Amino acid sequence: MRFAGITSLFAAAVAGAACTTYDDYGSRPVGYGDYAYVGRDYQRLGNDCGFFEGEGGSALDPWLACTEEGRRLVRDRYDDDQDRRVTLATADEANIWFRRHADTDRDMQLTDGEVKAALVNHVRFAEGSGN
């Protein structure tokens, strides 16, 4: 009897997990991966700044590619040889790191304030550490 009860609970859990759907944040404003951007200062998807080259240059979030603070962050953390060439994998890593770092309230939505604060904090940290 106990085995039958455990088995039926397990089967119900598996069936419930199979039917679960996950929100893809499609109903949120402009999306960046799993994050939504709800500000107005960086409205475009991707970037057209042309500062970084390589297949990842145009894949960087606009706040990383189109602001001096974002460019510095990418150069400091991801462009060791300072050649301004960024691979797609590097751009993805930079975007993900920055989105997680900037989302201080962990609501999966980036606001202009969160983006600007994260950019300024990186510059202040880099200046304090001698980079």
Side-chain angles (χ1 to χ4, degrees):
M1 183 70 168
R2 180 176 283 188
F3 179 74
I6 291 173
T7 304
S8 61
L9 284 175
F10 180 73
V14 169
C19 296
T20 303
T21 58
Y22 297 95
D23 183 10
D24 64 356
Y25 305 106
S27 61
R28 291 186 181 178
V30 179
Y32 289 90
D34 286 343
Y35 284 82
Y37 171 66
V38 294
R40 67 172 200 261
D41 291 344
Y42 310 98
Q43 284 296 332
R44 61 190 180 277
L45 284 172
N47 69 71
D48 54 5
C49 302
F51 184 81
F52 290 103
E53 301 172 357
E55 62 182 356
S58 61
L60 285 167
D61 288 339
W63 45 77
L64 293 178
C66 300
T67 65
E68 186 54 41
E69 298 87 353
R71 292 173 184 163
R72 181 170 178 181
L73 186 148
V74 173
R75 288 191 312 256
D76 289 350
R77 293 183 63 92
Y78 299 99
D79 188 20
D80 294 333
D81 59 5
Q82 300 291 308
D83 67 352
R84 296 183 7 195
R85 296 192 62 75
V86 178
T87 66
L88 191 55
T90 299
D92 286 342
E93 183 179 336
N95 289 339
I96 290 167
W97 181 87
F98 184 79
R99 293 169 194 165
R100 289 179 180 165
H101 173 71
D103 188 20
T104 55
D105 59 7
R106 302 294 183 239
D107 66 351
M108 300 292 286
Q109 295 188 32
L110 296 179
T111 63
D112 288 335
E114 287 176 321
V115 170
K116 290 175 184 176
L119 290 171
V120 168
N121 286 338
H122 173 75
V123 171
R124 286 184 182 160
F125 176 79
E127 287 173 354
S129 66
N131 283 341

